[in-house]
Amino acid sequence: MGICVKEFDFIDRYLKQEIYGAETILGVGDDAAIVRVPIGFDLHISADMLVEEHHFFGDDPPETLGARILAVNLSDMAAMGATPRWALLCAALPDLDEAWLAPFCHSFFALAKQHQVTLIGGDTTKSEVRTFNVTLMGLAPKDLALKRSNAKVGDDIWVSGRLGLAAFALACIWQNEQEVPAAVFLACEQVRTAPVARVALGEKLLTIAHAAQDVSDGLVQDLLHILKASNVAATLWADCVPTHEFIATLPNKYQYSLAGGDDYELIFTAPKSQRDAIEKLSQAQALPLSLIGVINMGSGLDIIDAAGQPVSLPSFGFDHFA
Ligand code: ADP
Ligand code: MG
């Protein structure tokens, strides 16, 4: 362990950072922060917690962990179509070791700056197990949001990027996988440790898509949330879901692409009339957007492969208490 700092030195030296935007009235340092929601906007609020040994490994590098803790929350804003603006960071730590905290904070604030998100407060406390909670607030035009309950019969189902990479990296770590080429593991490990939240995509989808959700627990499980909330059914074309080309050769490939979590891509539904707009958006953002299914009347999810045969999965996704 390196040199430890005192709680208030930590707050003063590491957590009082740049304030973005005139709507941030008061940041870190008082009993509460003050923000002003502009007229014509709604405030979107989300929280996501990361606990050592449950969501990250004790030896995951602080250089990526700080950003990851923010990224998983940015992803929730992206899934609503909101623009992230303010963050609260609650941290429970065994010690205030600068050698660990400095790179952690550096990576957190580098990503915050990229998105012009101001850290406006939080709490710091001691605990044996490192635990972080970020509460994130964002803005979207009044009454516009990519709610899970808004999927419509006949909508296309789309997904951004590639799925299953983060879950495959985890499986490699747990199973000490020898057969996997190093470059494949590194590409997947990059997604697990440094996921990219699709914030710019979400903002653009606000006027294109009906419903959206970020894939944090597994595509099928997360899509089922949309179906349930919208009271609709769907057909999912398993072989249209993009994954890493190495994962696509595995006998249990669907377990990663359809049920693997932690990739933080977006699934969304949109009317067929938006196909051109979605293709253009994909090009503009240099981000693959793939058509993977259709919303139907009724309830339940049919998953079929390229030959039209039903696909069965041992699990639909991650459940903390399963
Ligand atoms: P209080 O005793 O009123 O709860 P604290 O001593 O916990 O205040 O915190 C002092 C200031 O530092 C507050 O503005 C609080 O929001 C901020 N702060 C404390 N911990 C963090 C943290 N981990 N991240 C961001 N701000 C923090
Ligand atoms: Mg406090």
Side-chain angles (χ1 to χ4, degrees):
M1 194 174 70
I3 299 163
C4 289
V5 281
K6 295 210 178 77
E7 182 182 336
F8 293 100
D9 292 335
F10 169 61
I11 293 170
D12 280 347
R13 265 197 268 153
Y14 287 97
L15 300 179
K16 283 188 184 161
Q17 300 275 341
E18 218 171 322
I19 287 181
Y20 305 105
E23 297 92 8
T24 311
I25 313 294
L26 187 60
V28 169
D30 214 310
D31 294 305
I34 307 174
V35 302
R36 192 160 290 157
V37 178
I39 292 167
F41 286 82
D42 287 329
L43 185 64
H44 291 233
I45 308 168
S46 72
D48 229 326
M49 191 148 84
L50 278 88
V51 180
E52 186 170 309
E53 296 311 327
H54 288 272
H55 304 95
F56 62 92
F57 296 113
D59 58 1
D60 273 351
E63 288 81 0
T64 52
L65 191 61
R68 180 167 173 234
I69 278 159
L70 184 56
V72 301
N73 282 276
L74 292 171
S75 178
D76 283 325
M77 288 293 137
M80 296 302 286
T83 302
R85 293 297 308 278
W86 301 287
L88 296 157
L89 171 64
C90 295
L93 301 158
D95 53 62
L96 295 178
D97 176 7
E98 280 200 280
W100 195 91
L101 284 171
F104 175 87
C105 289
H106 181 82
S107 88
F108 181 96
F109 285 108
L111 185 61
K113 186 184 181 82
Q114 204 180 307
H115 290 277
Q116 303 282 290
V117 166
T118 307
L119 184 72
I120 54 170
D123 204 14
T124 307
T125 185
K126 193 174 160 86
S127 134
E128 297 320 307
V129 187
R130 277 196 204 109
T131 303
F132 300 95
N133 176 72
V134 168
T135 300
L136 198 63
M137 281 159 273
L139 298 173
K142 193 171 172 299
D143 296 327
L144 274 182
L146 300 171
K147 287 191 276 191
R148 294 179 183 184
S149 57
N150 205 33
K152 307 275 186 249
V153 172
D155 274 3
D156 290 326
I157 305 170
W158 297 81
V159 73
S160 66
R162 298 187 294 179
L163 294 182
L165 282 70
F168 185 64
L170 254 189
C172 291
I173 293 168
W174 277 335
Q175 290 152 23
N176 196 10
E177 197 65 67
Q178 303 294 327
E179 311 288 290
V180 179
V184 172
F185 173 71
L186 286 177
C188 293
E189 179 68 348
Q190 166 82 19
V191 176
R192 184 185 75 83
T193 57
V196 178
R198 303 302 184 188
V199 174
L201 175 64
E203 288 171 347
K204 291 288 184 204
L205 287 178
L206 201 51
T207 52
I208 293 177
H210 280 152
Q213 147 115 45
D214 62 330
V215 184
S216 54
D217 293 333
L219 176 71
V220 168
Q221 184 163 304
D222 289 329
L223 178 57
L224 285 170
H225 294 314
I226 291 181
L227 302 186
K228 193 169 169 219
S230 298
N231 244 318
V232 291
T235 306
L236 178 65
W237 308 316
D239 291 312
C240 293
V241 177
T243 185
H244 191 285
E245 51 275 14
F246 182 85
I247 298 173
T249 65
L250 302 173
N252 61 343
K253 59 186 174 184
Y254 297 136
Q255 194 51 38
Y256 298 111
S257 62
L258 303 186
D262 285 348
D263 290 303
Y264 298 98
E265 294 296 346
L266 291 187
I267 34 169
F268 57 95
T269 82
K272 291 188 171 55
S273 59
Q274 295 289 359
R275 282 185 185 177
D276 281 350
I278 291 167
E279 292 300 338
K280 285 200 185 99
L281 184 56
S282 169
Q283 280 164 22
Q285 300 204 347
L287 176 65
L289 299 175
S290 309
L291 186 51
I292 59 165
V294 61
I295 298 289
N296 305 320
M297 222 150 40
S299 64
L301 176 63
D302 289 321
I303 312 174
I304 55 173
D305 65 14
Q309 294 304 307
V311 170
S312 62
L313 289 167
S315 123
F316 288 165
F318 186 73
D319 178 338
H320 281 105
F321 297 97

